Amino acid sequence: MRRWHAEWAWVGGAVLPHVLLEAEGDRFSEVRAGAPAPSDAVRLPGLTLPGFANVHSHAFHRALRGRAQAGRGTFWTWRQRMYAVADRLEPDTYRALATAVFAEMALAGVTAVGEFHYLHHRRDGSPYDDPNAMGRALIDAAADAGVRITLLDACYLRGGFDAPLDGPQIRFGDGTAAAWRDRVAALLDDVPAHATIGAAVHSVRAVPPDEIAAVAAHARAHALPLHVHLSEQAAENTACLAAHGVTPAALLDGADALGPRTVAVHATHLTDADIALLGGTATGACVCPTTERDLADGLGRTGDLAAAGSPLTLGSDQHAVIDLLEEARALELHERLRTRRRGHFTAAELLTALTATGHAALGRPDAGSLTPGATADLVTVALDSVRTAGADPAEAAVYAATAADVTHVVNAGRPVVDDGRHLLVPDVPGALASAIEAVTRPRTEGEERR
Ligand SMILES: [Zn+2]
């Protein structure tokens, strides 16, 4: 049995003092407020929260931070830079990069990541000897970094509504939804304890409606989470209306792809009818505020989505920033900018999006709360840093703290971060620097021929 004693902890929707947490194996066995500290308990000064769920990630996009953000250009020119990195990745370099990125997430309090994975095949589009070599590299990377992973394996069949896969995109394609399904079936045969397999449709741009229906049917049959990029850019709506006469959300509905296990990622440019469809089917919406601002996507109608019935979650997506507290804060602050009104989401609602709702969206509803029986994840945030000193503990996490204030992380009963130090990856900045250098330096002649 392991024990922790938190100065403050977020339990049952309230911040309470002196909370004793006990775990047997990977589950909490007892959580009690107002308890004295036993001598064998690890002391957790500050505010202790459930582990954070980073619901939308493309680990390799981290290689573009501070390298593709300055200056002009559009979402689509950024995408060209991203494809250049995708073109460089192989299972070994991808595993090294993802391990470093997931370790950065662990330092920021993330205990589970939803990795939206579409880089499946060799540079010429042919499968690796193990057709899931890239997916397994990500699963191994998460283990090395002490983070659970939901591998959202994405079906990606075409370059646009009327365009074949082109250039680096040929690495993404399985040809048909049936071939995607057969490849994912092999992953489902052998899933390690820290991993969950989910399904994804890259977008309505990348998968035709009948193939979306096939992916959705497979996800339903196996009770897999189903994630899909939705209406991040207004151009997607325009092209979808021109090709099919309906919005992307209506197209997903027609393919029977909406529902409580589905998460629409971004959901930025929605009509009133789209919001009613998502809310009415209890389809989740994962917003990624730091990415959406960096890529000039626009502001989604998050308050309307929540009111309609869509559970909201958060992701750091392209990882221009890995700070889930900043994403949570931005959910409220971006809605203030959009509406010119304050007070859309309470601090407790923002923390719920970051924890319980997020883990459920990743297919793990047993995580995300400090309660007996739940997966024993916890994150402690310092209340005595220059950022948080003097703040009310109930508001400190979402209105004062940053990822730099995370001091302790426990994942399924196992300590991963202690006093701000990653226990499995000793030099996370060094690991990031060398992994990014390996995929951004000019190719050698030998690599060019490979
Ligand atoms: Zn994405």
Side-chain angles (χ1 to χ4, degrees):
M1 188 207 286
R2 289 180 190 267
R3 291 170 154 184
W4 300 268
H5 191 267
E7 183 186 6
W8 299 93
W10 190 60
V11 180
V15 172
L16 303 176
H18 309 300
V19 177
L20 177 68
L21 300 122
E22 295 180 352
E24 290 280 1
D26 63 354
R27 305 267 156 177
F28 287 120
S29 49
E30 175 147 17
V31 177
R32 189 152 39 91
S39 58
D40 63 343
V42 175
R43 303 294 180 106
L44 300 174
L47 171 64
T48 294
L49 302 164
F52 304 158
N54 190 357
V55 174
H56 190 66
S57 160
H58 306 282
F60 76 89
H61 294 190
R62 171 67 178 81
L64 297 172
R65 184 190 299 173
R67 303 173 73 103
Q69 290 175 261
R72 291 176 182 274
T74 64
F75 172 88
W76 309 101
T77 52
W78 169 86
R79 194 177 71 157
Q80 286 311 117
R81 301 285 299 271
M82 182 268 282
Y83 280 175
V85 176
D87 191 45
R88 298 296 302 275
L89 292 163
E90 297 293 336
D92 55 343
T93 48
Y94 203 178
R95 177 172 174 169
L97 176 57
T99 300
V101 175
F102 295 154
E104 182 183 355
M105 288 185 200
L107 287 171
V110 172
T111 55
V113 60
E115 179 65 23
F116 195 109
H117 169 55
Y118 52 79
L119 189 58
H120 302 303
H121 304 300
R122 293 183 205 269
R123 287 182 72 209
D124 65 2
S126 66
Y128 288 100
D129 295 340
D130 171 1
N132 288 305
M134 291 296 240
R136 290 191 209 281
L138 291 164
I139 289 172
D140 291 344
D144 293 345
V147 172
R148 282 193 304 282
I149 183 170
T150 296
L151 187 75
L152 299 157
D153 194 299
C155 185
Y156 197 129
L157 303 178
R158 61 183 185 182
F161 287 98
D162 225 354
L165 296 174
D166 185 38
Q169 292 175 336
I170 63 171
R171 305 189 69 178
F172 310 163
D174 288 304
T176 63
W180 166 87
R181 183 192 60 212
D182 291 347
R183 184 176 53 71
V184 173
L187 272 176
L188 286 168
D189 282 346
D190 168 28
V191 187
H194 76 288
T196 301
I197 305 300
V201 165
H202 180 274
S203 58
V204 298
R205 285 179 277 125
V207 186
D210 52 337
E211 304 276 45
I212 293 175
V215 174
H218 184 69
R220 227 176 1 260
H222 293 268
L224 308 178
L226 173 64
H227 289 217
V228 53
H229 291 119
L230 181 72
S231 296
E232 177 178 7
Q233 291 279 317
E236 175 177 296
N237 290 18
T238 309
C240 188
L241 281 163
H244 298 289
V246 293
T247 63
L251 187 142
L252 290 178
D253 186 49
D256 210 5
L258 300 181
R261 266 199 209 89
T262 299
V263 174
V265 180
H266 303 299
T268 310
H269 299 281
L270 301 183
T271 64
D272 290 344
D274 292 339
I275 289 172
L277 262 181
L278 296 184
T281 53
T283 299
C286 177
V287 294
C288 307
T290 67
T291 292
E292 290 152 12
R293 67 169 84 136
D294 181 63
L295 294 176
D297 289 339
L299 293 168
R301 294 165 57 186
T302 51
D304 294 337
L305 272 168
S310 281
L312 300 185
T313 54
L314 297 155
S316 63
D317 189 1
Q318 62 147 327
H319 314 309
V321 175
I322 294 180
D323 184 344
L324 276 294
L325 295 168
E326 168 63 19
E327 305 290 349
R329 171 155 61 238
L331 174 55
E332 166 67 18
L333 298 183
H334 284 196
E335 190 65 348
R336 292 183 186 183
L337 279 175
R338 191 181 71 79
T339 62
R340 291 185 278 171
R341 250 186 329 106
R342 304 179 90 201
H344 300 275
F345 302 101
T346 65
E349 286 170 336
L350 297 174
L351 286 176
T352 301
L354 190 53
T355 57
T357 315
H359 289 283
L362 295 179
R364 293 294 298 265
D366 51 344
S369 68
L370 302 179
T371 47
T375 300
D377 289 357
L378 60 82
V379 175
T380 302
V381 174
L383 294 177
D384 60 355
S385 75
V386 288
R387 289 163 294 275
T388 56
D392 181 334
E395 284 192 29
V398 287
Y399 287 110
T402 71
D405 297 310
V406 170
T407 56
H408 292 78
V409 179
V410 170
N411 191 314
R414 186 169 71 137
V416 174
V417 175
D418 181 65
D419 208 13
R421 203 166 43 87
H422 201 295
L423 299 172
L424 308 175
V425 181
D427 175 12
V428 178
L432 282 164
S434 64
I436 290 170
E437 199 273 336
V439 298
T440 52
R441 64 176 162 69
R443 244 182 238 284
T444 63
E445 261 183 53
E447 287 168 334
E448 202 56 63
R449 283 195 301 272
R450 193 155 74 169

